[in-house]
Amino acid sequence: MSKIMDGKRVSQETKKWIIQKTKELKDRTGVVPGLASILVGNDPASEIYVRNKRRACGRCGMFSEEYNLSEETSEEELLSLIGRLNLDEKIHGILVQLPLPIHMNPAKVMKKMSPNKDVDGFHPENTGKLYQENPDVISCTPYGIEKLLDYYGIKILGKHVVVVGKSNIVGKPVAALMLNRDATVTIAHIETQNLPTITTMADILIVAIGDSQFIKKEMIKEGAVVIDVGINRNESGKIVGDVDFEDVKEKVSYITPVPGGVGPMTITMLLWNTLEAAETFAHGK
Ligand code: GUN
């Protein structure tokens, strides 16, 4: 019998802690954690994502600002906005929603951010520190996945974790994080040959490929833990993951649903990272 990993519930419990810590920080130092979100263009999914992040900030007692820039904004303008936010004392976290329009170079944009305001952990300095097992900040989705595994008491040490997807946002940082927790890690991706031979070896399978219901029961081992990072819309408009939940549910030991699994955790860990950035700021004042 499989168990659902309830990201909504874990996220609510974590938010209670964040609300408490935010209040304590404000009472002690007067510092209110502040997040600036930047959205370039009007991708509907990104708009929803940024709106949810902003609302969550408000509910946790944090300050938030949103910059909605048009698709035609130049890279120069975006870099100069980031430069101003780097110096703004009300802002402790900067989030540039990805993907950016194609005329912008995401690596250059991430590098412009002050590493201590990079609450996504995408600045090369923060990415490098995670790989060196000495992170200052952990990217929100990988961090949320780690919290979920820990909450449900799932052992990571020594387990074979297979990550499907090699994005800079999820695949690579979650692989690094699992390696830091002493898992044996395999990263598979779109060009991987004989994918089912690899996915069926996984004790913990983490899927982040953006392909509706791609993972079927033949591709997993009996009793595996399955973490589904995908958020896709199927032909009938329903939100579905990268895993065919109904097909695999009897075969897994634990599984994250979509929606209500990894998604809420990502937003919560963004708040967590913003709070930590504000605490570091207050400490250094
Ligand atoms: N686009 C999809 N996921 C993310 C994320 O975690 N952070 C940012 N900035 N953009 C994203």
Side-chain angles (χ1 to χ4, degrees):
M1 182 56 196
S2 64
K3 294 210 182 82
I4 304 288
M5 299 170 84
D6 187 348
K8 224 167 145 180
R9 173 165 151 205
V10 181
S11 143
Q12 264 154 10
E13 285 184 19
T14 312
K15 272 193 271 190
K16 276 191 203 146
W17 183 89
I18 294 174
I19 290 168
Q20 179 63 27
K21 291 283 167 193
T22 300
K23 187 175 175 307
E24 281 171 24
L25 179 69
K26 190 176 165 200
D27 293 346
R28 201 171 67 242
T29 66
V31 172
V32 177
L35 175 75
S37 310
I38 306 175
L39 175 64
V40 189
N42 34 26
D43 174 60
S46 291
E47 278 174 355
I48 295 170
Y49 199 46
V50 169
R51 193 183 62 213
N52 287 343
K53 287 174 184 175
R54 201 190 58 229
R55 282 190 188 155
C57 266
R59 283 195 211 108
C60 286
M62 298 187 183
F63 170 71
S64 77
E65 271 179 2
E66 193 177 321
Y67 294 85
N68 289 304
L69 310 182
S70 83
E71 185 86 25
E72 287 76 43
T73 305
S74 68
E75 188 180 81
E76 198 63 22
E77 282 173 85
L78 175 60
L79 295 176
S80 108
L81 170 61
I82 295 171
R84 283 196 309 267
L85 293 169
N86 281 344
L87 300 172
D88 186 337
E89 295 224 328
K90 295 191 303 303
I91 297 300
H92 310 99
I94 305 171
L95 176 134
V96 179
Q97 184 63 28
L98 299 174
L100 286 166
I102 43 167
H103 65 276
M104 292 185 180
N105 176 350
K108 199 169 164 190
V109 173
M110 295 305 135
K111 196 158 169 241
K112 176 74 185 178
M113 233 180 282
S114 165
N116 48 22
K117 293 196 178 186
D118 167 34
V119 281
D120 260 324
F122 294 161
H123 186 286
E125 185 176 312
N126 288 325
T127 306
K129 282 185 158 177
L130 176 66
Y131 273 85
Q132 292 187 349
E133 219 166 327
N134 178 33
D136 286 334
V137 57
I138 299 170
S139 298
C140 310
T141 302
Y143 207 1
I145 293 171
E146 185 187 34
K147 291 275 171 217
L148 270 177
L149 291 170
D150 288 343
Y151 183 92
Y152 285 94
I154 295 161
K155 207 173 134 212
I156 299 172
L157 182 140
K159 291 296 164 74
H160 191 171
V161 175
V162 175
V163 179
V164 188
K166 65 175 187 84
S167 71
N168 290 331
I169 298 178
V170 183
K172 283 183 224 156
V174 82
L177 191 58
M178 292 297 111
L179 192 57
N180 291 351
R181 292 283 301 266
D182 297 311
T184 300
V185 179
T186 300
I187 308 179
H189 49 81
I190 194 99
E191 301 295 348
T192 297
Q193 292 176 7
N194 299 323
L195 184 63
T197 24
I198 293 168
T199 54
T200 47
M201 288 197 296
D203 300 309
I204 301 174
L205 181 66
I206 302 176
V207 192
I209 48 173
D211 194 350
S212 293
Q213 300 172 313
F214 177 81
I215 299 287
K216 308 285 183 194
K217 65 172 181 287
E218 299 73 35
M219 300 174 79
I220 61 167
K221 179 165 83 176
E222 186 80 44
V225 174
V226 176
I227 306 288
D228 188 352
V229 184
I231 301 178
N232 315 290
R233 228 173 253 284
N234 70 5
E235 314 81 54
S236 43
K238 194 172 158 238
I239 300 281
V240 294
D242 291 346
V243 177
D244 189 336
F245 185 92
E246 288 303 318
D247 195 50
V248 308
K249 72 176 186 204
E250 298 304 330
K251 202 173 177 186
V252 301
S253 57
Y254 285 92
I255 184 165
T256 59
V258 176
V262 175
M265 292 305 293
T266 296
I267 295 183
T268 298
M269 299 324 288
L270 173 74
L271 302 179
W272 179 299
N273 285 346
T274 305
L275 170 64
E276 288 211 323
E279 280 175 340
T280 307
F281 168 81
H283 193 71
K285 267 220 308 187

